[in-house]
Amino acid sequence: MKKIAYGREILEWNASKGLVHFQTKNQLLNDFNRLSQSLSLLSRDNELDGKILVIKDVHHFMDDPHVMSILKEIAINIYNGLETIILLVSPILKIPTELEQYITIVEIDYMAEDAISNLIKAFIKENNFDEISDELLNELTIAFKGLTEYEIVTTLSLAYAKEGNLKRRDLTLIYEQKYQMVKKSGILEMIPFNESFNEIGGLENLKEWVSNKAKVFKDLNKAKDFGVDIPKGVLVVGMPGCGKSLNAKATANLFGIPLLRLDMGKLLGKYVGESEANMRKAIKLAEAISPCVLWVDEIEKAFAGIGNSGNAEVATRLFGNFLTWMQEKTSPTFVVATANDVSNLPPELMRKGRFDEIFYVDLPDPLERQKIFEIHLMKRRQTDLPAIDCNELSKRTEGFSGADIEGVVKESIEIAFISGESQVKTQDIIKSIENTASLSVLFKDKLKVLADVYKNNHFKSASKK
Ligand code: ATP
């Protein structure tokens, strides 16, 4: 801050003390601790000329019409020759329409890897910690990515207070910090998972493809040196309840990295540029946490406005930002986007170069249904499984989704329990099947439309067919 001031006096306004000297924090106006009062005084008496004013946490005051009108007046005066700079400091981007044209946005980036590494080394030296191996230094550096300098130093101090040294187990402290950070962001969510590909019946093509990408991801530097591109991600479209979300979780599990879910609905804000800023924030945060899987669930919902009136413009811009990022991204952030209905998705999203591949998940075929029955029975009634005829169950469940099959298994187990039976038999499950209206019955027309869209787009089938 001092560097950019070039000797000019710096004033600061903060909510606890009002107007203070930036460096000494000495109060300058005792009675005027409301922002609007301080601002009107400063602008009336031409007090700002030749000075810099830093307003802290300004987002709290962006709804105050008085503050807005004085800021606008100052901006116009600056345009007409007033020599001052107003720095609006805020953790979130919130720009009212009337100020939009007068403001330049400067985003503070997360710390770079070498800066983090130097910070750790300096901390070790200052506190006379034992030297750590290059490998641990590297692991800590990557784990600290996305945290602020303050958070990094606090975590290091915590590790020091605990054991007087830095150990590999301190990584858990860092992951806890990151979990908090994602939680606080309100845009991304860290999803716990323990699902594996063994729990997905069928979708063999998709599983094989993801497993290959996992090999690249796990040895990224070597793969890059060999000339392999960093995997960007996959778009999985298809029938509801057929394992798309399950696949996102199993992917993160296989890659051995955190799973972040981006809630597109939460991105949309009411201020000018807020939605785009939220998108940038989400992307930056995901990149900072990377390597990670970024799961963009029901991507079609976010872009529903495109082509319609209402917030179509915002949706188009959001979409543009997302596409550019997908196209240019070099960070190890693997995107798994899922969608049920692609008929409203803009064709640009489907173009090669955005996603590495687009898979279409259909309703399970007979063999897949049999496998899904086995998986869900294995989970709950392992001892009954050998006597259950899953082949017969599969024959009776044409048009059922994976979620339908799971529902049938759960229901038959519950009924068997309530009736006091000691085991679940094929016949019990058949009864539940007969009582279930499958997905293909409930959404017959809709499914036909979707199937045509997938066929016409020539998406790759997630199943081996
Ligand atoms: P939606 O689009 O409605 O979110 P989805 O395709 O993401 O649906 P999932 O959430 O993955 O569906 O599936 C719902 C549940 O159905 C899963 O938790 C899982 O238990 C079961 N299921 C679906 N497909 C399969 C499958 N292929 N193998 C095993 N279980 C499955």
Side-chain angles (χ1 to χ4, degrees), residues 171-229:
L171 285 167
T172 47
L173 285 175
I174 307 176
Y175 293 135
E176 177 55 27
Q177 280 268 15
K178 284 199 162 177
Y179 181 74
Q180 291 295 332
M181 182 174 145
V182 172
K183 214 168 163 187
K184 281 187 252 169
S185 81
I187 297 174
L188 293 178
E189 199 187 340
M190 209 174 250
I191 306 285
F193 54 82
N194 45 32
E195 289 79 357
S196 77
F197 275 169
N198 295 335
E199 287 160 57
I200 305 182
L203 312 188
E204 297 302 332
N205 273 343
L206 176 60
K207 288 195 278 191
E208 191 179 306
W209 185 90
V210 173
S211 305
N212 284 337
K213 294 292 170 195
K215 281 185 200 141
V216 175
F217 228 81
K218 284 195 169 151
D219 221 343
L220 208 52
N221 287 336
K222 216 165 145 193
K224 273 198 285 189
D225 289 346
F226 197 80
V228 181
D229 281 354

Side-chain angles (χ1 to χ4, degrees), residues 65-303:
H66 200 190
V67 170
M68 281 312 101
S69 72
I70 309 173
L71 280 178
K72 190 172 169 186
E73 197 180 299
I74 297 173
I76 293 169
N77 288 341
I78 292 174
Y79 183 75
N80 290 325
L82 175 70
E83 281 285 330
T84 186
I85 297 172
I86 311 276
L87 283 169
L88 306 173
V89 183
S90 166
I92 53 172
L93 188 83
K94 199 169 162 184
I95 306 174
T97 325
E98 61 265 45
L99 282 187
E100 196 192 347
Q101 57 174 309
Y102 303 108
I103 288 182
T104 305
I105 302 165
V106 180
E107 279 184 272
I108 308 292
D109 248 325
Y110 290 110
M111 287 179 81
E113 281 181 29
D114 50 352
I116 297 176
S117 170
N118 288 338
L119 186 65
I120 301 172
K121 283 192 259 181
F123 192 89
I124 290 175
K125 207 166 163 201
E126 255 168 50
N127 293 284
N128 292 324
F129 278 10
D130 291 344
E131 287 288 318
I132 56 171
S133 68
D134 284 350
E135 201 189 341
L136 181 57
L137 178 66
N138 198 26
E139 274 183 77
L140 288 167
T141 303
I142 294 191
F144 271 129
K145 265 171 59 185
L147 300 185
T148 60
E149 184 171 338
Y150 174 77
E151 285 165 330
I152 295 175
V153 172
T154 313
T155 312
L156 288 170
S157 309
L158 205 63
Y160 179 65
K162 266 180 132 181
E163 18 195 354
N165 255 318
L166 270 183
K167 295 268 165 50
R168 173 158 287 105
R169 55 177 168 268
D170 294 323
L171 285 167
T172 47
L173 285 175
I174 307 176
Y175 293 135
E176 177 55 27
Q177 280 268 15
K178 284 199 162 177
Y179 181 74
Q180 291 295 332
M181 182 174 145
V182 172
K183 214 168 163 187
K184 281 187 252 169
S185 81
I187 297 174
L188 293 178
E189 199 187 340
M190 209 174 250
I191 306 285
F193 54 82
N194 45 32
E195 289 79 357
S196 77
F197 275 169
N198 295 335
E199 287 160 57
I200 305 182
L203 312 188
E204 297 302 332
N205 273 343
L206 176 60
K207 288 195 278 191
E208 191 179 306
W209 185 90
V210 173
S211 305
N212 284 337
K213 294 292 170 195
K215 281 185 200 141
V216 175
F217 228 81
K218 284 195 169 151
D219 221 343
L220 208 52
N221 287 336
K222 216 165 145 193
K224 273 198 285 189
D225 289 346
F226 197 80
V228 181
D229 281 354
I230 300 181
K232 285 177 189 295
V234 60
L235 172 60
V236 185
V237 304
M239 303 300 175
C242 289
K244 296 188 299 298
S245 314
L246 199 56
N247 168 64
K249 292 179 191 163
T251 299
N253 198 352
L254 185 69
F255 280 43
I257 52 182
L259 176 65
L260 301 179
R261 183 166 61 193
L262 174 60
D263 186 337
M264 285 290 195
K266 284 189 187 157
L267 288 184
L268 301 173
K270 63 180 169 138
Y271 292 93
V272 179
E274 198 182 350
S275 309
E276 293 92 314
N278 284 341
M279 171 70 101
R280 278 200 301 276
K281 186 171 154 192
I283 286 174
K284 257 172 88 176
L285 190 57
E287 294 208 314
I289 303 269
S290 70
C292 66
V293 171
L294 179 64
W295 172 19
V296 188
D297 197 12
E298 298 191 279
I299 193 168
E300 74 269 37
K301 286 205 174 141
F303 303 126

